[in-house]
Each structure stands twice: as structure tokens, then as C-alpha cells.
């Protein structure tokens, strides 16, 4: 996410070789922990790594 903030959930799933639902669970958890944040929505947005 630091190297490619515009990466999508499906792209992350391919890179880490897991399911999209698994990526969604983990990204949601990371957002709740304040580690990452989605800026400007799903389609036009990007990921921001906060720590």
C-alpha cells in the first residue's frame, strides 16, 4: 500500500495469494486499529498507511 496507494482489494488478494474476503477482513481490522485509512472512497480513492 505504501508503494502503490491505488491498489485494489482484488489486486492485494492476488499479490498475497488469498481471497478477496480475507483481504477485506484484514483491511477492515487495520482501519479500526488506525494503521491504514481509505481516502476519497472506493473507486477514486487511495490507501494511506498511517504508521
Amino acid at each position: 500500500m505504501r508503494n502503490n496507494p491505488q491498489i485494489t482489494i482484488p489486486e492485494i488478494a492476488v499479490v498475497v495469494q488469498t481471497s478477496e474476503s480475507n483481504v477485506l477482513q484484514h483491511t477492515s481490522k487495520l482501519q479500526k486499529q488506525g494503521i491504514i485509512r481509505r481516502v476519497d472512497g472506493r473507486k477514486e480513492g487511495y490507501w494511506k498507511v498511517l504508521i
Side-chain angles (χ1 to χ4, degrees), residues 7-48:
I7 194 164
T8 65
I9 297 296
E11 291 171 337
I12 294 170
V14 169
V15 170
V16 297
Q17 299 178 345
T18 192
S19 67
E20 290 180 29
S21 62
N22 198 9
V23 174
L24 283 170
Q25 289 175 359
H26 287 283
T27 55
S28 176
K29 186 176 181 179
L30 291 169
Q31 287 181 77
K32 287 178 185 173
Q33 293 174 346
I35 296 172
I36 61 173
R37 182 170 47 123
R38 186 72 182 170
V39 179
D40 293 334
R42 244 175 64 186
K43 291 201 174 197
E44 301 297 322
Y46 61 94
W47 293 103
K48 183 168 186 171

